[in-house]
Amino acid sequence: MKKLFLVMGWLAVVSVARGESMRPLLTRENRFPEAGRAEVGMLVQYIEYGDEGEAGRLGDSDEWALTPYVRFAPVEGLALYGRLPYRNINPDNASDENGIGDVSVGFEFRAFEDVFGYPYIIPHAEYQFDTGDDEKGLGVGYSSALLGMSIGTVVQDAFHFIVDGSYRVREQEDNVASISGTIIWDVSEELSLLAEATASDDEIGPKKEHPSFFQGGLCYRAGDNLEINIYGGGGKNDPRDVVTGVKVAYSF
């Protein structure tokens, strides 16, 4: 009988658990799985590349990218994650290529959070492995490490502001510093609107121009544990002319 009550209590806790997935793609938001819980999801993106192409080799092309991921919180305020991208690239002047891209693993740590939940500070780090075939355009051809920190706050309990500074250490090219920002408007408990942008000191193309990227999004909570987000944007001085995507996340 005691075991039965324990099982019933555990099921009750699971049924009322409310997962929260991070909504931005360019910064880190103060949304973590509860300790001992996980989040799984899939990001599906359609990308159109301009003349510079992916890694400067494929020319005009388009891509479908499917990136399943998992986040797990071993303790409160710490999330470990991994991403396994699968890419299908369709160049205009070459044969199609598809396969595994560059796998990445990392962590996000809630180093500071005010009693109200904001402001907050989230250091994060990521290592990207050289698993994609760079000759086919599926990977960049080297491993890299990303170190960063997001700082966020909330105004009037509805407007979220996040700034992220990151530094990527690359094996075979110059290191890159970037700055990103996100604004989120909570229209209701279920619906949020998002706008974000990023810029870096990387040098793209023969003119060595610095790339930037902008996108908007609509984030919808379909249930206590399910979130569906839609994104769309494009780059300037960036190989990516157009990027659209859908992210589905489930917390348990």
Side-chain angles (χ1 to χ4, degrees):
M1 183 64 69
K2 182 178 180 180
K3 291 183 178 180
L4 176 61
F5 281 120
L6 288 175
V7 171
M8 293 178 61
W10 180 83
L11 291 174
V13 170
V14 171
S15 66
V16 301
R18 185 179 177 89
E20 289 190 324
S21 169
M22 287 191 183
R23 294 168 289 186
L25 297 181
L26 304 180
T27 63
R28 302 304 201 272
E29 186 181 13
N30 189 21
R31 287 187 165 198
F32 286 69
E34 295 180 5
R37 298 187 181 275
E39 169 193 335
V40 296
M42 171 78 77
L43 175 64
V44 180
Q45 293 177 301
Y46 172 75
I47 307 169
E48 291 185 357
Y49 297 101
D51 293 336
E52 294 172 88
E54 171 68 355
R57 289 185 296 275
L58 298 179
D60 288 337
S61 59
D62 58 73
E63 173 187 354
W64 283 99
L66 284 72
T67 307
Y69 74 90
V70 60
R71 294 173 75 215
F72 173 71
V75 296
E76 190 71 24
L78 174 65
L80 310 178
Y81 67 86
R83 303 190 187 101
L84 177 63
Y86 183 87
R87 306 177 63 183
N88 181 276
I89 302 175
N90 307 286
D92 288 352
N93 301 316
S95 59
D96 294 356
E97 302 289 355
N98 61 83
I100 298 298
D102 290 336
V103 174
S104 59
V105 296
F107 72 86
E108 300 144 344
F109 174 56
R110 187 167 53 208
F112 171 79
E113 177 186 76
D114 191 68
V115 64
F116 297 104
Y118 54 85
Y120 54 83
I121 300 175
I122 303 175
H124 56 89
E126 177 179 294
Y127 189 83
Q128 181 173 288
F129 296 90
D130 178 19
T131 53
D133 190 333
D134 60 308
E135 293 185 358
K136 296 180 179 180
L138 301 174
V140 297
Y142 53 82
S143 298
S144 65
L146 178 70
L147 303 173
M149 180 179 297
S150 284
I151 300 174
T153 191
V154 183
V155 177
Q156 297 179 352
D157 292 328
F159 298 95
H160 304 248
F161 298 89
I162 310 170
V163 176
D164 182 279
S166 298
Y167 190 74
R168 183 172 291 277
V169 181
R170 305 190 292 189
E171 285 186 347
Q172 300 179 13
E173 296 185 14
D174 292 338
N175 300 334
V176 174
S178 61
I179 184 73
S180 306
T182 301
I183 300 175
I184 303 173
W185 173 29
D186 292 333
V187 180
S188 66
E189 290 188 2
E190 293 79 22
L191 178 65
S192 301
L193 301 179
L194 172 151
E196 54 185 347
T198 186
S200 78
D201 64 355
D202 199 5
E203 296 180 340
I204 301 295
K207 296 182 180 180
K208 304 296 183 180
E209 297 175 306
H210 300 305
S212 57
F213 181 80
F214 312 86
Q215 74 176 3
L218 183 150
C219 308
Y220 180 72
R221 178 180 288 278
D224 285 346
N225 301 84
L226 178 65
E227 292 194 14
I228 302 173
N229 303 337
I230 301 173
Y231 306 93
K236 180 179 180 182
N237 303 327
D238 190 297
R240 300 167 296 176
D241 284 346
V242 176
V243 179
T244 60
V246 177
K247 174 186 171 185
V248 178
Y250 184 80
S251 302
F252 59 93

